[in-house]
């Protein structure tokens, strides 16, 4: 190669390298939107009327012919929005069933670009997103002025935005362009679970409203114009640069505290707290100090707070925050301003303020796409929450550990005018005494005893994260907001992301980690960083290859990885401490009762821990004080979470032994009959297509191996007319094979369940179908519909000596002697008199009436049975909400009623009142009307035809056991 060619190649290589470097430098670009908004509040109508002008700067290399616009108030317009659907998926029906007066919307829009009307087009999927077609394409580097009036109906505050009882929370309230970045447009609907992604710009906002409102708003108050009393209004002007959103809270009852804070650079900022009189005893003494500590703490570790004002306001939401243990409940955080619900303790207030103020750094100042990468805001912020908590509330410190101010901050006399600057108050100091202020005495009222606290997990969030991971119900940190389950959004996007950062800090060392984070903050302030940008800064600053830790963002699993094998240790009652290293054998006292064994005393010994062990056991040995026998129950199980088509595979073995008969022979010797049960099972739980699915599908094989002791014969003394049992037989053995198919949807709106069972025993088969559907009422409660059908048949013919009646389905409630799998708890399983005899089991037709003296009225069949059961809650106008009273109606038929000369009418029915206690575990039934078949026969026995004798009750513990250990 000659010299000229070499020189040419070197020059070409240098130019290419220089061009590549330059292209990397200019690769990042972002749009800018500057706003001027005038808005007025109509207090009587709870509406806003405004006019908005925005200057849209196209800093992209692309020519734009349209702009997507967010109209987020329309999320509250009806029950077909993405917001409404997400609330239902997350278990809330309050918005779905709200009346029209509580809904919200935005209209009266007239978009004009440089004075020319812009055509609007609806988004094909979201009602709260539209597209405006630009009259003239917007070239790269150019800018346009867009104007529009708007009218907004404020909703009830189901989420962040709304009006209620003199309090306004005005958020996501004005038309706002979607982000356009190198990945394209980002039109997104409003969601309750999930943050936002908005362009940066400068805001100039004028708010006109009645003078009796105090306003907390984004930015600094530039002016306040008080209009004469005859008009009774005021206009407040707020300005702020370099923010992505603007929010304001107005309240007729706000009290305001103001102070100033000098930052490390010497810059002085204003600090405000807004709260209601009810919260004043706590907020007045601690809120300002906590805000200042939050700003100092994060400024020192991340980078200095860039704005000139910071504010916290007390707000209320329709539903309390559902943050998981260790996670601060969500509030509403915006640039320079955050709203939180008022906590009950000093510590809770401090931690809530830390979290809300901290979001300024990762939500407002850095501004990542929170909808697709929530961990970059919530997870980062939670990481610093944990660092703050470990410093100021270290593990083992007394609860609570209140803040103490040398001098409470002075209260501003003008609610909307910034108070004169004052010298910054002292930092928060922490005292271990609980009586540093008279208002802190209540903090210890609900604190658990010390011996309980020692058993609680040191990090509840970590425990739950690892529990979900063990059950394969967790999701990767990199999951988008809308794809997270409600639980995982708190546990994964917040807590697990924070723990991931903690691991990154541990691997780099705290000084280097802090240096990397400070460089990340400096480099990407106001610039919408993406995950790859965060990684690039950390790798470059640390000179480390961080491929391995960043790969874990896309992975599921525990954090840190579980320790195996675990040590085994006994625990009284329970323990949640260090379960990643210790497997506890929990021991607790146990008491049982039935009319034969009477009180049974013993213990429950189990290893049900969190995270769950693969092998689980529960042993409940009991000593019966009447029968003087050892009774009890046991369970052994082993579970796999294999992935693929199966969410879970579970092997189980359960057993039980109790007395079920008692009596005395003719000599007065006590005799006890009873049963034992051994039931092996295999259940395959199918995996759902998406993590947010609320369906549960499983198939199970179960075999019941049962032995029963009964009285052999009866004799009668010559001196009286009573019959006495002679002796107890040996155990008689029988079996039952059962194959079950279950599908259910535990959604909050109209949940349902369908269970199909095939049963086979000696000389018979039985097919059962039970379907449940719940119809929600708008005012709460609902109608529970149950449909049951069964088919019975013989195998190998019948025999006169073979009594299969207990297996045959029937219409009326099942008695204890007919519980042929011993799956339910009965006080007196074979009692035929007294209160215990009035217990039934809702298994077959479920007609809630007892007719033991008239067996032909029970609707028993050796062919088929079908029934419909309805149970409805009652309106609060009829029954107070604290009284769980319902009405029921049962109707059914059976094969024998359709034959010639039937013993009963074709359809039998009952109806009456139902009292449901302990979340429907214990139910009492009072039949008030029923078929003439029942009425005619009951009248023949007056002492049985009383209100109290016709009462029945059920103890439905089997509904809990159906779910089994570790069920969702």
């Amino acid at each position: 190669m000659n010299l000229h060619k070499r020189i040419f190649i070197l020059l070409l290589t240098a130019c290419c390298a220089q061009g590549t470097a330059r292209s990397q430098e200019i690769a990042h670009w972002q749009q800018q939107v500057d706003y001027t908004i005038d808005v007025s509040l109509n207090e009587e109508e709870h509406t806003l009327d405004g006019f908005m002008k925005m200057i849209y700067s196209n800093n992209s290399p692309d020519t734009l012919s349209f702009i997507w616009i967010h109209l987020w108030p329309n999320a509250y317009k009806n029950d077909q929005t993405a917001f409404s659907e997400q609330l239902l998926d997350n278990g809330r029906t309050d918005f779905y069933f709200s009346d029209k007066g509580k809904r919200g919307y935005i209209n009266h829009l007239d978009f004009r670009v440089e004075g020319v009307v812009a055509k609007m087009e609806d988004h094909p999927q979201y009602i709260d997103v539209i597209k405006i077609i630009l009259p003239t394409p917007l070239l790269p580097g150019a800018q346009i002025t867009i104007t529009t009036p708007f009218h907004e109906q404020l909703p009830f505050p189901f989420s962040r935005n709304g009006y209620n009882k003199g309090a306004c929370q005005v958020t996501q309230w004005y038309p706002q362009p979607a982000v356009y970045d190198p990945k394209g447009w980002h039109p997104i609907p409003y969601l309750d679970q999930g943050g936002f992604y908005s362009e940066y710009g400068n805001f100039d906002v004028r708010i006109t409203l009645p003078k009796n409102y105090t306003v907390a708003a984004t930015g600094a108050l530039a002016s306040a114009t008080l209009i004469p009393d005859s008009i009774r209004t005021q206009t407040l002007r707020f300005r702020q640069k370099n923010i992505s959103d603007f929010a304001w809270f107005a309240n007729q009852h706000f009290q305001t505290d103001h102070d100033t804070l000098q930052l490390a650079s010497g810059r002085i900022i204003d600090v405000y707290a807004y709260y209601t009189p009810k919260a004043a005893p706590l907020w007045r003494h601690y809120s300002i100090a906590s805000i200042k500590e939050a700003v100092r703490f994060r400024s020192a570790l991340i980078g200095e707070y860039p704005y000139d004002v910071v504010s916290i306001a007390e707000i209320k939401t329709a539903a309390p925050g559902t943050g998981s243990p260790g996670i601060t409940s969500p509030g509403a955080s915006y640039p320079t301003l955050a709203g939180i619900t008022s906590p009950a303790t000093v510590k809770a207030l401090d931690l809530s303020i830390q979290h809300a103020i901290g979001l300024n750094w990762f939500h407002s100042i850095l501004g990542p796409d929170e909808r697709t990468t929530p961990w970059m805001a919530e997870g980062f912020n939670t990481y610093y929450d944990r660092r703050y908590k470990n410093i100021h509330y270290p593990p083992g410190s007394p609860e609570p550990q209140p803040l103490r101010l040398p001098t409470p901050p002075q209260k501003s006399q003008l609610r909307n005018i910034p108070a004169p600057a004052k010298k910054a108050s002292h930092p928060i100091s922490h005292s271990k005494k609980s009586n540093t202020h008279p208002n802190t005495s209540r903090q210890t009222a609900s604190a658990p005893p010390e011996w309980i606290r020692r058993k609680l997990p040191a990090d509840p969030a970590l425990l739950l994260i690892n529990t979900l991971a063990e059950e394969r119900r967790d999701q990767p940190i990199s999951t988008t907001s809308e794809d997270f389950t409600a639980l995982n959004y708190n546990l994964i996007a917040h807590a697990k992301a924070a723990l991931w950062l903690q691991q990154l800090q541990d691997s780099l060392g705290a000084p280097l980690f802090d240096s990397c984070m400070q460089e990340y903050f400096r480099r990407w302030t106001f610039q919408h960083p993406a995950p790859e940008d965060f990684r690039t800064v950390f790798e470059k600053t640390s000179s480390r290859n961080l491929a391995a830790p960043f790969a874990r963002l896309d992975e599921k699993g525990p954090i840190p990885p579980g320790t195996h094998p675990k040590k085994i240790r006994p625990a009284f009652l329970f323990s949640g401490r260090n379960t990643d290293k210790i497997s506890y054998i929990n021991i607790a006292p146990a008491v049982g009762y039935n009319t034969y064994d009477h009180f049974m005393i013993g213990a429950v010994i189990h290893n049900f821990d969190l995270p769950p062990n693969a092998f689980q056991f529960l042993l409940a040995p009991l000593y019966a004080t009447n029968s003087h026998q050892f009774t009890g129950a046991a369970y052994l199980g082993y579970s796999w979470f294999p992935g693929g088509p199966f969410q879970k595979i579970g092997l189980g073995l359960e057993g039980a032994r109790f007395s079920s008969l008692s009596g005395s022979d003719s000599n007065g010797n006590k005799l006890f009959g009873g049963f034992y049960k051994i039931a092996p099972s295999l259940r395959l739980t199918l995996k759902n297509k998406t993590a947010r699915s609320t369906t549960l599908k499983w198939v199970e094989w179960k075999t019941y191996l049962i032995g029963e002791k009964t009285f052999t014969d009866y004799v009668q003394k010559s001196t009286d007319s009573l019959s006495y049992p002679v002796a107890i037989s040996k155990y008689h053995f029988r079996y039952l094979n059962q194959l079950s198919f279950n599908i259910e949807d535990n959604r909050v709106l109209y949940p349902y369940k369908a269970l199909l069972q095939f049963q086979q025993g000696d000389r018979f088969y039985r097919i059962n179908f039970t379907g449940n559907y719940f119809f929600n009422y708008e005012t709460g409660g609902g109608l529970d519909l149950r449909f049951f059908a069964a088919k019975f048949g013989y195998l190998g013919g019948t025999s006169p000596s073979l009594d299969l009646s207990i297996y045959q389905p029937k219409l009326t409630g099942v008695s204890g002697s007919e519980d042929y799998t011993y799956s339910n708890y009965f006080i007196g399983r074979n009692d035929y008199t007294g209160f215990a005899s009035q217990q039934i089991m809702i298994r077959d037709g479920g007609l809630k009436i007892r007719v033991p003296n008239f067996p032909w009225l029970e609707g028993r069949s050796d062919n088929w049975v079908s029934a419909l059961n309805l149970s409805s809650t009652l309106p609060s106008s009829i029954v107070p909400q604290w009284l769980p009273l319902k009405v029921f109606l049962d109707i059914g038929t059976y094969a024998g009623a359709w034959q010639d000369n039937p013993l009963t009418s074709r359809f039998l029915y009952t109806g009456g009142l139902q009292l449901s206690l302990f979340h429907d575990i214990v139910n009492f039934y009072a039949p008030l009307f029923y078929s003439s078949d029942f009425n005619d026969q009951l009248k023949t026995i007056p002492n049985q035809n009383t209100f109290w004798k016709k009462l029945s009750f059920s103890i439905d513990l089997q509904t809990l056991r159906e779910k089994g250990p570790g069920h969702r």
Side-chain angles (χ1 to χ4, degrees), residues 46 139 298 349 359 380 415 705 798:
H46 309 157
L139 299 176
R298 281 169 166 79
L349 176 66
L359 280 171
F380 285 25
R415 292 176 295 180
L705 308 173
T798 63

Side-chain angles (χ1 to χ4, degrees), residues 10 23 62 130 171 198 299 355 367 487 596 605 640 687 869 952:
L10 289 173
S23 66
D62 306 319
I130 64 167
T171 67
S198 305
S299 292
H355 181 83
L487 179 59
Y596 318 109
I605 306 167
W640 296 267
K687 186 177 182 180
N869 311 106
S952 59

Side-chain angles (χ1 to χ4, degrees), residues 275-598:
Y275 50 86
T276 62
K278 184 177 180 180
L282 194 64
W283 284 61
R284 182 180 299 122
H285 293 275
Y286 303 110
S287 58
I288 289 289
S290 185
I291 297 169
K292 293 163 74 172
E293 183 69 5
V295 174
R296 279 193 292 258
F297 180 77
R298 281 169 166 79
S299 292
L301 290 177
I302 307 166
E304 187 169 280
Y305 182 76
Y307 303 124
D308 293 330
V309 62
V310 59
S311 303
I312 279 285
E314 179 197 358
I315 64 171
K316 295 184 182 297
T317 56
T322 54
S324 302
I327 310 297
T328 303
S329 296
S333 295
Y334 297 89
T336 79
L337 173 69
I340 62 172
T341 56
S342 184
T345 67
V346 174
K347 177 181 175 181
L349 176 66
D350 184 35
L351 295 179
S352 294
I353 288 176
Q354 298 301 317
H355 181 83
I357 295 297
L359 280 171
N360 272 280
W361 275 261
F362 299 108
H363 164 71
S364 303
I365 301 170
L366 288 168
D369 183 353
E370 287 190 75
R371 190 61 59 89
T372 58
T373 57
W375 61 275
M376 292 189 70
E378 299 292 354
F380 285 25
N381 193 41
T382 302
Y383 162 79
Y384 284 98
D385 289 344
R386 293 172 67 92
R387 283 186 70 166
Y388 178 88
K389 185 177 180 181
N390 287 336
I391 294 172
H392 295 282
Y393 305 95
S397 61
E399 292 283 349
Q401 190 177 20
L403 309 176
R404 181 175 60 191
L405 288 177
T407 303
Q410 300 299 312
K411 186 178 178 181
S412 172
Q413 300 300 313
L414 294 177
R415 292 176 295 180
N416 290 315
I417 307 297
K422 300 193 293 283
K423 184 178 179 180
S425 65
H426 296 284
I428 297 174
S429 62
H430 297 267
S431 171
K432 295 185 178 180
K433 297 181 180 180
S434 60
N435 59 350
T436 55
H437 188 275
N439 291 305
T440 66
S441 60
R442 60 176 177 159
Q443 308 302 313
T444 59
S446 60
E450 180 62 25
W451 69 274
I452 290 289
R453 288 182 52 208
R454 288 197 300 266
K455 291 177 174 291
L456 297 177
D459 193 336
L462 177 60
L463 182 67
L464 292 177
I465 289 169
N466 288 342
T467 296
L468 289 174
E470 187 71 28
E471 297 179 348
R472 298 289 183 94
R473 292 194 290 127
D474 61 333
Q475 294 172 271
I477 295 173
S478 59
T479 303
T480 63
S481 294
E482 59 266 38
D483 289 337
F484 270 122
T485 66
L487 179 59
N488 281 340
Y489 183 72
N490 282 317
L491 287 176
I492 306 298
H494 290 69
K496 187 175 182 179
L499 291 168
W500 175 83
L501 273 180
Q502 179 65 50
Q503 287 189 323
L504 188 59
Q505 174 204 302
D506 294 342
S507 66
L508 295 177
L512 180 55
F513 176 90
D514 289 341
S515 177
C516 292
M517 186 64 78
Q518 290 159 8
E519 175 60 20
Y520 167 65
F521 182 77
R522 185 199 64 77
R523 170 66 181 84
W524 287 100
T525 293
F526 308 132
Q527 294 192 65
H528 296 317
E532 54 270 23
D533 302 317
F534 175 69
R535 176 180 172 179
T536 297
V537 169
F538 262 64
E539 287 190 329
K540 184 176 180 180
T541 306
S542 66
S543 300
R544 304 276 186 90
N545 184 337
L546 301 177
F550 275 85
R552 289 199 292 271
L553 292 171
D554 301 319
E555 299 172 354
K556 300 169 63 174
I559 183 168
T563 303
H564 296 284
K566 296 181 181 180
K567 297 180 180 179
I568 298 176
R569 185 175 299 173
F572 178 67
L573 297 183
F574 74 96
S575 182
R577 288 277 177 170
N578 302 318
T579 55
D580 58 326
K581 302 175 182 178
I582 301 171
S583 181
Y584 291 99
I585 308 298
N586 304 287
I587 304 172
V591 177
Y593 180 85
N594 64 47
T595 58
Y596 318 109
D597 294 308
H598 288 188

Side-chain angles (χ1 to χ4, degrees), residues 207-257:
I207 304 170
T208 300
L209 75 170
K211 287 195 296 185
N212 61 329
Y213 279 86
T214 299
V215 177
T218 293
L221 181 64
S223 65
T225 303
L226 303 181
I227 300 175
D229 289 341
S230 58
I231 303 178
R232 300 189 304 168
T233 58
Q234 59 183 332
T235 298
L236 310 174
R237 185 180 186 183
F238 294 89
R239 288 177 170 174
Q240 185 59 58
K241 294 182 178 181
N242 288 328
I243 56 175
S244 58
D245 205 352
F246 187 99
W248 52 284
F249 307 132
N251 194 303
Q252 296 178 7
H253 307 291
F254 268 158
Q255 297 180 9
T256 307
D257 286 342

Side-chain angles (χ1 to χ4, degrees), residues 718-788:
S718 58
T719 57
D720 57 39
S721 60
L722 298 177
S723 296
Y724 297 90
V726 174
I728 293 293
S729 67
K730 295 181 179 180
Y731 280 107
H732 296 284
F733 175 79
R734 60 183 175 88
Y735 74 93
L736 180 79
N737 294 316
Q738 177 177 284
L739 179 62
S740 303
F741 299 89
N742 181 88
I743 179 171
E744 60 188 276
D745 194 331
N746 296 303
R747 59 194 184 188
V748 68
L749 189 66
Y750 311 131
Y752 66 84
K753 178 179 179 179
L755 177 64
L756 178 64
Q757 289 184 329
F758 298 88
Q759 296 178 331
Q760 176 268 322
D762 186 18
R763 304 285 188 91
F764 79 93
Y765 71 89
R766 175 171 164 162
I767 303 173
N768 306 308
F769 174 80
T770 307
N772 295 85
Y773 200 95
F774 186 81
F775 294 89
N776 303 73
Y777 294 152
E778 292 186 13
T779 55
L783 172 67
D784 193 356
L785 182 151
R786 175 182 181 266
F787 173 75
F788 173 80

